[in-house]
Amino acid sequence: MEKTKQFLWGIFFCALLVRLILAFLLPTFTYESYFHLRQTEYITATGLPLYQDPLSYGGRELVFLPFFHYLTAFFDLFLPLEFVAKTLPNLFLALLVLLTYFIAKELGNSTNGSLFAAGIAGFLPALFSTNAFTPHSLFLPLLFFAIYVFLKLQQGEKHAQQKKKYVYIYFLTFFLACLTSSATILLLVGFGIYFLISLAESKKLPKEEWELFIASTFFYLWIQFIFFSEVLKKEGISFIWQNIPTAILPQYFPQVSVSHGIILVSFIPLITGIFVIFRSLSSVKEPKTFLLIGLAVAAILFTFLRFLPVKLGLSVLGILLAILFANFYDGILPFLRKTKFSLTLQKITTIIFLGLLVTTVYPALSTAIHQSVPSAEEVKAFEWLNTHIEKNTTVMTLGEEGHLLTAIGKRKNVMDDQFSLRDDAEERFSDVNLVYKTQFQTQALHLLEKYNIKYVVFTPHAQQHYQLKRLSYLSPECFHLVYNHNAIKIYERKCALEKK
């Protein structure tokens, strides 16, 4: 047992150390992270979320779930925010190593199989956006801790007092998950599919599980209604897709190729997971895996329907497949020992370890190295805006760079990726594209005047996005180059269209 603990903690600290090294090697965060960094800073300073944002879209109302920001703001009180933002999310995700192990053990898997599952979860490529400071890093451990507590209840604790304790822990975890991400609905849909599979297989379910599911559903709907009732009234069904303009839905919910999806969830856990699911539903009919199957189906369904970001859906699926791998390991071990090769336990373990090293660890490191983050020079350019241009000025950037402008430059943007409660998101997206791509100065000036834009930022990221080396409509009379460093250019608009 002592050796098992050493192995488990070794995997945990190894995963955490690798994540932190990669996080601190990159000086910046993913573009989306700057929205959450700004919210954390604001809560630290005022104690309240920034629901009325004077800079986003030139001034607008925001709606989001705030628990992640409050938790990180607490640590921001006595630690540098950059340190908190790089350390805390990676610590949360490294905790999935421990949760995966204990869930696998709760399902009756062997120690070795559970350790392999923990190792897969620790180096899952889909989870290796090490510089992403987002609520998903907290949501995933909360989700799987809720699953673990539910399994503890499912195993039938003998003492009523212990059952009561686990019910309280479950609802506290579920409550925090609901305040962290609306994706908590995955758990409810997973429960629903689990119940349907159990009924189809004529497996009687305890009354307590139905009560827990019904209470969780009402609890979730109540919290979502408190925060998002106005959004739902205004946007209707498009609320599900966060009011994202149809032109950029593929950008935020990209159709991941089969090969890329396999890489993100790791090839070996995917193949073994499919085998375990098929065996559980066809011949073995193991009720203990029905919940995991239900959650896996929910993750695939929500990702396919674009209810979830691809990375989040594949992350959930990848962890579930890691847990199912432990079941496969325990089932295949006796079979391999009987083959003519007479493989010893040590040889089997070595082969599996090497296979996982190639198909999991290497792609995870590659994913971390190729994260989409702004360069340090681009961040310096936005810092220049904060210190060198007038306050209350609107600046044109890519929509993806909108949070970088408001968080670092402290100036108004034209748009960013917070589309809820914005009727003009589609129009603004089209106009931003035109400003960068048009060849006609009159058209560019018309759009810049439309949003009262005084400065245009042209970064290497924008150059790559639009496949442009320069803006076609620039002229010395109308646009002065006020910043030029490492291919990052900032232009000040000096002229306007004549009024007739």
Side-chain angles (χ1 to χ4, degrees), residues 191-203:
F191 281 159
I193 297 172
Y194 155 68
F195 292 146
L196 289 174
I197 295 173
S198 299
L199 291 174
E201 297 293 342
S202 302
K203 303 291 183 182

Side-chain angles (χ1 to χ4, degrees), residues 16-282:
L16 178 60
L17 182 62
V18 170
R19 298 186 70 91
L20 291 178
I21 290 172
L22 291 167
F24 282 95
L25 279 176
L26 292 174
T28 59
F29 298 90
T30 59
Y31 289 96
E32 180 190 2
S33 301
Y34 287 94
F35 169 79
H36 304 290
L37 286 165
R38 185 163 171 248
Q39 289 297 334
T40 298
E41 284 181 318
Y42 193 81
I43 290 173
T44 303
T46 67
L48 295 171
L50 184 59
Y51 283 135
Q52 295 294 332
D53 190 343
L55 302 182
S56 178
Y57 287 74
R60 49 86 58 87
E61 180 183 356
L62 289 169
V63 183
F64 58 90
L65 296 165
F67 178 65
F68 173 78
H69 309 95
Y70 270 103
L71 181 62
T72 51
F74 169 75
F75 289 96
D76 184 34
L77 291 172
F78 47 87
L79 291 170
L81 181 56
E82 182 178 356
F83 177 82
V84 172
K86 288 191 175 181
T87 304
L88 214 57
N90 284 298
L91 175 61
F92 291 151
L93 292 173
L95 288 173
L96 289 168
V97 169
L98 305 179
L99 288 170
T100 301
Y101 173 83
F102 288 117
I103 291 172
K105 283 293 287 182
E106 196 64 32
L107 292 171
N109 295 304
S110 70
T111 297
N112 285 348
S114 299
L115 286 172
F116 270 119
I120 295 168
F123 291 92
L124 191 69
L127 291 172
F128 255 69
S129 292
T130 54
N131 289 61
F133 180 71
T134 69
H136 294 160
S137 62
L138 176 60
F139 167 69
L140 287 168
L142 288 173
L143 174 69
F144 282 93
F145 185 66
I147 293 168
Y148 171 71
V149 177
F150 181 82
L151 289 172
K152 294 291 287 185
L153 287 166
Q154 189 186 50
Q155 296 301 323
E157 294 290 334
K158 293 181 180 179
H159 300 291
Q161 195 64 31
Q162 280 190 312
K163 266 196 171 183
K164 193 174 181 181
K165 178 187 74 173
Y166 283 120
V167 168
Y168 288 147
I169 294 173
Y170 169 83
F171 273 112
L172 175 61
T173 306
F174 188 80
F175 172 69
L176 296 178
C178 288
L179 288 177
T180 303
S181 173
S182 297
T184 308
I185 195 173
L186 265 178
L187 186 60
L188 300 177
V189 175
F191 281 159
I193 297 172
Y194 155 68
F195 292 146
L196 289 174
I197 295 173
S198 299
L199 291 174
E201 297 293 342
S202 302
K203 303 291 183 182
K204 188 177 180 181
L205 296 171
K207 178 183 174 183
E208 292 84 356
E209 290 188 12
W210 287 102
E211 292 173 347
L212 207 65
F213 170 68
I214 293 169
S216 298
T217 301
F218 280 107
F219 199 61
Y220 172 83
L221 293 174
W222 174 63
I223 291 176
Q224 299 307 303
F225 181 79
I226 289 173
F227 282 92
F228 299 110
S229 57
E230 289 300 316
V231 180
L232 184 59
K233 287 177 188 176
K234 187 173 181 180
E235 298 175 2
I237 192 66
S238 63
F239 159 74
I240 297 174
W241 293 278
Q242 305 166 47
N243 197 38
I244 296 173
T246 53
I248 51 177
L249 264 174
Q251 178 182 337
Y252 286 88
F253 298 100
Q255 293 290 341
V256 176
S257 65
V258 174
S259 59
H260 187 53
I262 291 173
I263 290 171
L264 290 176
V265 299
S266 189
F267 177 73
I268 293 177
L270 176 63
I271 298 301
T272 58
I274 292 171
F275 174 79
V276 171
I277 290 172
F278 177 78
R279 187 184 63 176
S280 297
L281 294 177
S282 60

